Amino acid sequence: MQQATYTTRRQEIERYFAHTAAETWSKLTSEAPVGRIRQTVRAGRDSMRDCLLSWLPHDLRGARVLDAGCGTGALSVEAARRGAQVVAIDLSEPLITLARRRLPADIDPAAVTFRNGDMLDPELGSFDHVVAMDSLIHYDARDMAWALSSLAARTGASLHFTFAPKTPVLAAMHAVGKLFPKGNKAPSIQPVSQARIRKLVEREPGLEGWLISRTARIKSGFYISELVELCPT
């Protein structure tokens, strides 16, 4: 049974990204001019995506990849270029529509299946690799661990996710609401320490047999995020 707190939070995030944030994220993930704060967020996300892709196999032919919280689909496109069959899912229908529209001409549309919905939907099937870039950062750490265990149950080779590390800088930014303009009313990011992430991974029943193999932190001005790779033993 889904945790009630996860479901409630998911609904809040869905409302935000389906309405308030659609235009903001469309611009942020394009080459359109943005303000200084969003420039750092854009650069940080680009660096995080590059890091995540560098941890995936260069040859993904025959592999099935879930881009959990795909946004406008940039990571999905690069995975498809490596030969993967990608399922790209996001809570925001406007962002999924935009991702379909932005699919480059050199990518076979059959290589990427865009879906509007919950990344934990069991009907999505099983995957070799799952990536959840900045899609769990709004959830409580316990709900994050529970969501990861749900994904791990359908993952064979690797599970990559990011979290907002609990640092003095991020805590201050979080407190004054500077990660996004106040008018956006974004669901708050939930900073968590790496030590707690490790404990939750160790203690989550659904993650038994999974180990953290490596981590990397990306910092770019107002963007701070930490990438974790989980692999089955």
Side-chain angles (χ1 to χ4, degrees), residues 55 157-160 198 210-215 228-232:
W55 288 6
S158 72
L159 173 54
H160 300 86
R198 289 185 177 275
W210 287 76
L211 296 176
I212 294 177
S213 58
R214 50 183 164 175
T215 66
V228 177
E229 179 181 69
L230 286 174
C231 294

Side-chain angles (χ1 to χ4, degrees), residues 123-205:
E123 292 187 5
L124 297 175
S126 298
F127 300 89
D128 298 286
H129 305 281
V130 170
V131 297
M133 177 180 146
D134 294 349
S135 52
L136 293 171
I137 60 176
H138 299 289
Y139 292 95
D140 175 83
R142 288 168 296 181
D143 286 341
M144 182 188 299
W146 176 80
L148 289 170
S149 70
S150 298
L151 291 169
R154 296 182 286 118
T155 305
S158 72
L159 173 54
H160 300 86
F161 70 97
T162 62
F163 67 93
K166 194 170 186 179
T167 67
V169 173
L170 184 59
M173 290 160 55
H174 180 261
V176 300
K178 287 186 176 180
L179 286 176
F180 291 93
K182 292 181 181 179
N184 283 351
K185 299 179 181 178
S188 61
I189 288 172
Q190 304 295 313
V192 57
S193 69
Q194 187 182 110
R196 185 158 191 228
I197 289 290
R198 289 185 177 275
K199 285 183 180 180
L200 287 168
V201 168
E202 291 172 359
R203 296 173 181 176
E204 182 65 33

